[in-house]
Amino acid sequence: MKADEMWKVSTGKGVKVAVIDTGVNPDTSSLKGQVLTDEVPQAVAYGAAEDYTGHGTTMAELIAGTGAGDGLKGLAPGVKIVPYRITLDELKDKTERKKTANSAQAIRSAADSDAKIINMSFSSPGDNAEEAAAIKYAQSRGKLMFAGVGNDAEKKSPIGYPAAYPYVVGVSASDENGTVAKFSQYGNYVDLASPGIDVPSWCDETFRSYCAGKGTSQATAIASASAALVWSAHPTWTANQVLASLIDTAGRDWAKDDPSTYLGYGLIRPRMVLEKSDFNPGPANTDPLAKENATGVTDEAGNSPSASAATSSQPSKGTSDGQTSAAGSTSDASNTSDNTTTWVALGAAAAVLVIGGGAFAVIRSRRGA
């Protein structure tokens, strides 16, 4: 990613990203001054600054962390975060669940804010009419939305929402070789890929140490940060143009008109946009995912979502060896006990990535199949 070089052009300054998740702790060393809790409307503000798992705070740091106090340094440290707390499966307390907004309410609120990008690092195997309507509303308001495709590929690989809705960019996770991660779900709703293994993440809601995390959640946050870098450098562009530029420059060794069901249009690499000040992003009003948004969603086997699918949602953070979280996920037990890991986003996960032709060993099929 060569973040140091990108930051000479853009740090994401002037761009706000709405993080819809488990809440965001604004008091970590890396996020002090980065989280705009006052900009969350009262109707959906309950618990926005109280993260019940540490997941939402990790996403915020991966996007906009400053690295202060030996904390996580995000890919777009000039960005400001607008935090939203929603009811995911990990929130067990019934009273808390009643007070906390649902995803549709948070999406609509973010759509009415001046956040340009909406990050949704959560996934559910069932669609929801209220959530789908909120997504469509956010699109009409010019927002660029990213969501993790989910982490159940080694089980059944159900279709993951909100990633599968039209106008949401579905993000899969890649490993250190640029190959799709084994856990990353797949289907014709995968649009882009981003590193999602060995990414430092808060171990839990105590915020005492980082663990080695993995998942399409982390990949989604890095994709949102990438878009913020580009939008900051080109503030007059539309969401369509920012996304088109990321699709055009994504690393792939297959034809652009035949995207992978595992890595979509390829591995995101914003540097390829930023290094060309005269980059042509195409028409402002042309949807770069028009074909996908007009096609029914299917998994790799061509199956459409089941009408009886469960609708529980959980952060799409994957699993790793070690400590068990409330959701039954695990994180690496070997962690930094005193918050001493300073990590430039993608520096650890993608240091060995050569984002070009030969780095992608994937099985592909036509998305419309």
Side-chain angles (χ1 to χ4, degrees):
M1 296 290 281
K2 299 183 179 180
D4 288 328
E5 290 186 17
M6 288 196 292
W7 292 336
K8 294 176 183 178
V9 180
S10 174
T11 62
K13 185 177 180 179
V15 175
K16 297 176 184 178
V17 177
V19 173
I20 298 177
D21 214 289
T22 58
V24 175
N25 180 355
D27 296 323
T28 68
S29 62
S30 184
L31 286 179
K32 287 182 178 179
Q34 297 294 88
V35 184
L36 306 176
T37 54
D38 291 344
E39 294 195 9
V40 184
Q42 190 63 35
V44 292
Y46 182 81
E50 299 175 9
D51 188 345
Y52 53 88
T53 69
H55 186 271
T57 304
T58 295
M59 300 307 112
E61 289 192 3
L62 287 172
I63 296 168
T66 64
D70 289 331
L72 218 62
K73 187 165 187 178
L75 188 61
V79 160
K80 299 299 183 184
I81 299 295
V82 183
Y84 291 88
R85 182 194 194 191
I86 61 172
T87 51
L88 298 176
D89 287 350
E90 288 83 353
L91 185 58
K92 303 298 183 182
D93 187 279
K94 293 182 179 179
T95 300
E96 289 287 297
R97 291 182 70 88
K98 288 181 180 179
K99 295 179 180 179
T100 301
N102 62 36
S103 60
Q105 292 169 328
I107 292 166
R108 283 188 176 275
S109 178
D112 287 332
S113 76
D114 57 359
K116 291 178 175 291
I117 297 165
I118 300 177
N119 186 89
M120 298 176 286
S121 291
F122 57 91
S123 180
S124 168
D127 61 345
N128 176 282
E130 183 183 7
E131 189 177 65
I135 291 289
K136 188 174 182 180
Y137 177 68
Q139 185 271 338
S140 74
R141 300 283 290 174
K143 308 304 178 183
L144 182 51
M145 294 169 278
F146 294 90
V149 297
N151 303 311
D152 290 330
E154 294 177 280
K155 299 174 183 178
K156 187 180 179 182
S157 196
I159 294 169
Y161 293 90
Y165 290 125
Y167 311 116
V168 177
V169 182
V171 183
S172 66
S174 69
D175 67 11
E176 67 275 12
N177 297 313
T179 304
V180 65
K182 292 181 179 179
F183 57 78
S184 190
Q185 288 169 216
Y186 45 85
N188 70 347
Y189 64 101
V190 178
D191 300 308
L192 287 168
S194 182
I197 292 181
D198 292 332
V199 182
S201 306
W202 284 111
C203 297
D204 55 38
E205 72 281 4
T206 64
F207 302 102
R208 288 184 291 194
S209 58
Y210 290 118
C211 290
K214 64 180 182 179
T216 58
S217 280
Q218 285 85 342
T220 300
I222 292 168
S224 290
S226 296
L229 290 176
V230 172
W231 220 332
S232 175
H234 299 282
T236 62
W237 286 5
T238 65
N240 286 332
Q241 290 173 310
V242 172
L243 179 56
S245 74
L246 294 174
I247 289 174
D248 286 344
T249 57
R252 54 182 171 266
D253 62 357
W254 56 88
K256 179 184 173 182
D257 61 355
D258 185 20
S260 164
T261 52
Y262 293 88
L263 295 174
Y265 286 92
L267 208 64
I268 200 165
R269 45 182 191 174
R271 181 174 58 87
M272 303 299 289
V273 182
L274 296 175
E275 68 184 12
K276 297 180 180 179
S277 59
D278 59 346
F279 190 96
N280 182 0
N285 297 320
T286 298
D287 179 7
L289 295 177
K291 181 177 71 173
E292 287 80 0
N293 290 334
T295 303
V297 175
T298 61
D299 59 19
E300 175 67 7
N303 298 316
S304 297
S306 169
S308 60
T311 57
S312 60
S313 298
Q314 55 186 311
S316 48
K317 63 183 177 182
T319 60
S320 56
D321 296 335
Q323 185 179 17
T324 302
S325 76
S329 299
T330 59
S331 51
D332 197 325
S334 60
N335 57 69
T336 57
S337 59
D338 60 352
N339 205 19
T340 58
T341 298
T342 301
W343 184 75
V344 175
L346 302 199
V352 299
L353 281 182
V354 179
I355 307 176
F360 297 88
V362 296
I363 300 172
R364 299 186 293 116
S365 69
R366 299 193 67 84
R367 289 155 71 93

